[in-house]
Amino acid sequence: MNALPDPALTRAVLVGVGAYAHLEPLPAATRNLPALAAVLTGPLSWQLPAEHCTVVCDPASMPDMLDPVKRAADEAEDTLLVYFAGHGLLDGRGELFFGLPGSQSGWSYTGVTHQALREIILSSPAGRCIVILDCCMSGRALGLMGSDDTLADQAEIDGSYLLAAAPDNSPALAPPGQTHTAFTGQLLKTLEHGVPGPERELDLDLVYQQVRRELVAQNLPEPQKRIRNTAGRLVLARNPAYRPASIPAGARAVKVPWPDPGRFRTPLAFLEALGEVRALSGLTLQAVSEQTAPAVAAGTIGQLLNRTTLPRTWKTTRSYLAACGVPDRQCARWEAAWVRLRAQEQTETTAVVPEPAPARGWHARLCRRRGIDS
């Protein structure tokens, strides 16, 4: 399963309830929605078409909330993401249900039961299901992906991920005067500013770890997660705080901290790292060309570094890496990453998808220029 969702085959439904008749209003819950939608449709994240990211604000009834989820679940083939922000309530048996504007605590018929949402998610053909709950008692939903009778086992899903804003008996918080709820506010902050370090992309696990660390440091409710298989490696966004290791001035004799090809989740990460290798080598394109064996022209190397897709053969890339000084053992790991990502790329291009839109944002630098087959 690919680390980055296919926008044409992915669906997201964002639900927020802030206007309550019998419970404390939560205006921050509905303010979360446009900010999250902007992330998922934006150039640094999944780049979902607007019609694939449905926003449901203050649904008045169960069908108003669940009908959009059902449509998205039916259409999603790659990834389905469902987000809810609002009051999480318990019925007379202690079961979780989601508060609608007219909901009353203790009476699940006035809201949307967790079981009803679960049944819809079970019906989806999506390869990955991501559920994010920013509500009180949301930790009780961890049973959705628990050990027995699990969502993932029943649906035979390779990747399922539940992210809950609070433990099973704890409240989620919406601090007065804040634009967003505490949990979603930190989630948005993490996606906007990134996590300093060597990771080029923000996957679910890395985002969860950062959000949890920040919330615990502020004495706010500790978020919970439940994961199955590889879902934690699903990329949510590019990491704005990615910092490649640098070589100290005058220290060419030290071991060069080459990019780790084992960290590459997408073809884009591989291509960007090729350029980083030349920067770390301290060589010009011409100097690299002069050290290649067999010889590779500087212009060909320049085109390699500006490709939009992975090269179909390995030979030129191997010569380039060796000329930059990458050791043979490292080159073997690069080749393994190329084989893995090349297979991923071929799988994506053979899928029947709509004509791609012009490249935007952080893809534009690579996509504005065509590479050659090497």
Side-chain angles (χ1 to χ4, degrees):
M1 189 65 68
N2 299 341
L4 189 67
D6 182 341
L9 304 177
T10 294
R11 300 293 185 272
V13 181
L14 311 178
V15 182
V17 182
Y20 285 96
H22 308 289
L23 304 168
E24 181 183 357
L26 294 174
T30 51
R31 290 197 294 262
N32 290 342
L33 304 182
L36 275 176
V39 169
L40 294 174
T41 59
L44 296 182
S45 184
W46 291 357
Q47 300 191 65
L48 292 181
E51 62 271 20
H52 292 177
C53 184
T54 303
V55 173
V56 182
C57 185
D58 288 327
S61 66
M62 181 182 295
D64 288 340
M65 174 173 162
L66 294 186
D67 283 350
V69 177
K70 182 62 166 65
R71 285 193 297 271
D74 290 344
E75 295 171 359
E77 298 178 38
D78 184 318
T79 300
L80 171 67
L81 184 150
V82 178
Y83 167 91
F84 174 82
H87 279 297
L89 306 168
L90 301 180
D91 63 16
R93 297 176 301 171
E95 299 292 332
L96 175 69
F97 70 97
F98 307 113
L100 298 177
S103 290
Q104 299 182 49
S105 182
W107 299 101
S108 61
Y109 78 91
T110 64
V112 174
T113 64
H114 169 235
Q115 178 62 22
L117 177 63
R118 178 178 183 273
E119 289 173 356
I120 293 175
I121 294 174
L122 282 169
S123 72
S124 177
R128 291 173 290 208
C129 293
I130 313 302
V131 180
I132 302 176
L133 302 178
D134 190 352
C135 61
C136 300
M137 317 299 175
S138 54
R140 295 210 170 198
L142 291 178
L144 184 70
M145 299 175 190
S147 56
D148 298 321
D149 192 31
T150 66
L151 165 66
D153 289 335
Q154 288 194 21
E156 298 182 354
I157 295 171
D158 176 69
S160 299
Y161 202 102
L162 174 67
L163 188 56
D168 56 0
N169 290 311
S170 298
L173 296 181
Q178 296 296 312
T179 301
H180 305 294
T181 58
F183 170 78
T184 299
Q186 186 58 54
L187 174 64
L188 291 168
K189 182 178 179 181
T190 299
L191 294 175
E192 177 183 359
H193 298 291
V195 180
E199 300 293 345
R200 295 173 180 273
E201 297 127 340
L202 299 173
D203 63 22
L204 279 166
D205 278 339
L206 185 59
V207 168
Y208 166 77
Q209 292 164 9
Q210 179 69 9
V211 170
R212 177 181 175 277
R213 183 162 47 244
E214 293 294 331
L215 291 177
V216 169
Q218 300 171 54
N219 293 317
L220 293 171
E222 179 179 350
Q224 310 291 305
K225 72 171 181 177
R226 180 65 55 82
I227 181 175
R228 176 174 171 81
N229 294 346
T230 60
R233 300 191 67 190
L234 178 70
V235 174
L236 279 179
R238 190 187 187 197
N239 185 6
Y242 164 67
R243 296 293 182 268
S246 59
I247 305 174
R252 294 299 301 155
V254 303
K255 184 178 179 180
V256 178
W258 303 111
D260 181 1
R263 295 180 181 271
F264 302 161
R265 309 286 181 80
T266 61
L268 177 64
F270 184 100
L271 294 168
E272 289 186 335
L274 286 179
E276 185 183 324
V277 165
R278 190 195 64 78
L280 287 170
S281 74
L283 301 174
T284 65
L285 289 181
Q286 185 60 42
V288 173
S289 172
E290 291 171 356
Q291 297 188 45
T292 54
V296 179
T300 301
I301 294 174
Q303 290 173 315
L304 171 66
L305 300 182
N306 289 300
R307 289 185 61 93
T308 66
T309 59
L310 295 175
R312 286 202 292 264
T313 60
W314 174 245
K315 183 178 179 181
T316 296
T317 306
R318 174 67 177 84
S319 296
Y320 163 77
L321 291 171
C324 288
V326 178
D328 289 344
R329 183 177 297 181
Q330 279 274 4
C331 285
R333 297 188 66 220
W334 277 80
E335 183 175 8
W338 170 77
V339 170
R340 169 173 53 84
L341 294 170
R342 176 74 177 148
Q344 172 181 315
E345 195 173 62
Q346 289 176 313
T347 299
E348 292 173 346
T349 57
T350 55
V352 179
V353 297
E355 187 70 20
R360 301 178 295 165
W362 61 283
H363 287 291
R365 179 178 65 80
L366 291 174
C367 296
R368 279 196 295 265
R369 300 185 289 272
R370 285 188 172 276
I372 65 168
D373 297 327
S374 303

